Amino acid sequence: MAKDKRTAFFISDGTGLTVEAIGHSLLAQFQDQHLEQVTLPYIDSAGKVQQALQRIEKAASESGLQPIILTSIVSDQIRQQLHQSPALMLDIFENYLTPLANLFNRDPAQSVNISRGIAGSRRYNDRIEAVHFAMDNDDGRRTRGFEQADVVLLGVSRSGKTPTCLYLALQFGLRAANYPITEEDMDSTNLPRILLPYRRKLFGLTIDPTRLVQIRQERRANSRYASKEQCDFEVRQVEQMLRRAQVPFLDATQLSVEELATRLMSQAGIERRID
């Protein structure tokens, strides 16, 4: 971390998208400041708070500058733990522009409807390139692009891989590919050989078989593909495969695409490509 680069942490017990959006808008008032922006979603336990505090203290030590915390944490206990950090802590329900102005020793720009760097063509181009990458590497049609991927999603057909890849691309600029595990891949519980070179990039999605039946019935009603027996078999085999290969995975049944994406990034330790 650069010595003159301050870190702003957006900390939430949910996806972090709300506090992140507010934080971007607030910090856009101080565009002459060199800032690294880090989102920490799902900070909802004492253990996760301690990990966040360690990261904040490290940022302060390495940069020599006081970090910033913007938080939408609901729990008073967790918020009190965060107050133990060396950072300037701002709650989204409190007055935050005045403390920021004091920290930066200058008045805010008082501009409206701007977000830090939102108009930059680089961010736009990065998003578009990431979306094109997701579309070009959808459903295992090609794997030669997997080497450039930030993550490769695995799962049965209709488990949410494609929308999650597109969201990761559009929201975070990540190059996300996906590979559907087909019945041909289920002859054993080993990973398909074609995926072995990309093992460190793999992340799985699973789904409740009953919900999978409902989704597939909408696509191919009354088919073997949408039968309860087939869905049970595929989900069971893929979960065994992922566990055996020690590939992390999430259950997509009750999660929105926003939650899937942010949980995936948090669990896999993937950093966004765009601020």
Side-chain angles (χ1 to χ4, degrees), residues 12 14-16 39-44 48 51 55 168 172 174 203 248 250 258-272:
S12 173
T15 64
T39 301
L40 301 179
Y42 300 108
I43 304 301
D44 55 6
K48 292 180 181 179
Q51 292 177 354
R55 187 165 180 180
L168 288 168
F172 304 114
L174 292 172
F203 198 98
L250 284 170
E258 294 88 352
E259 291 173 313
L260 268 178
T262 51
R263 285 182 183 271
L264 184 158
M265 291 172 64
S266 177
Q267 188 170 331
I270 299 172
E271 298 285 347
R272 63 173 61 225

Side-chain angles (χ1 to χ4, degrees), residues 27-68:
L27 295 175
Q29 307 291 327
F30 306 96
Q31 295 193 22
D32 59 337
Q33 298 295 312
H34 300 291
L35 296 170
E36 179 176 4
Q37 301 179 25
V38 177
T39 301
L40 301 179
Y42 300 108
I43 304 301
D44 55 6
S45 68
K48 292 180 181 179
V49 175
Q50 287 303 316
Q51 292 177 354
L53 288 172
Q54 291 173 5
R55 187 165 180 180
I56 294 163
E57 291 168 359
K58 182 180 179 182
S61 175
E62 291 181 351
S63 69
L65 296 171
Q66 184 183 19
I68 304 162

Side-chain angles (χ1 to χ4, degrees), residues 63-74:
S63 69
L65 296 171
Q66 184 183 19
I68 304 162
I69 294 175
L70 290 101
T71 178
S72 60
I73 296 286
V74 175

Side-chain angles (χ1 to χ4, degrees), residues 6 33 66-68 88 97-106:
R6 194 187 305 273
Q33 298 295 312
Q66 184 183 19
I68 304 162
L88 170 69
L97 277 179
T98 298
L100 277 174
N102 292 336
L103 178 67
F104 294 145
N105 195 29
R106 55 156 293 177

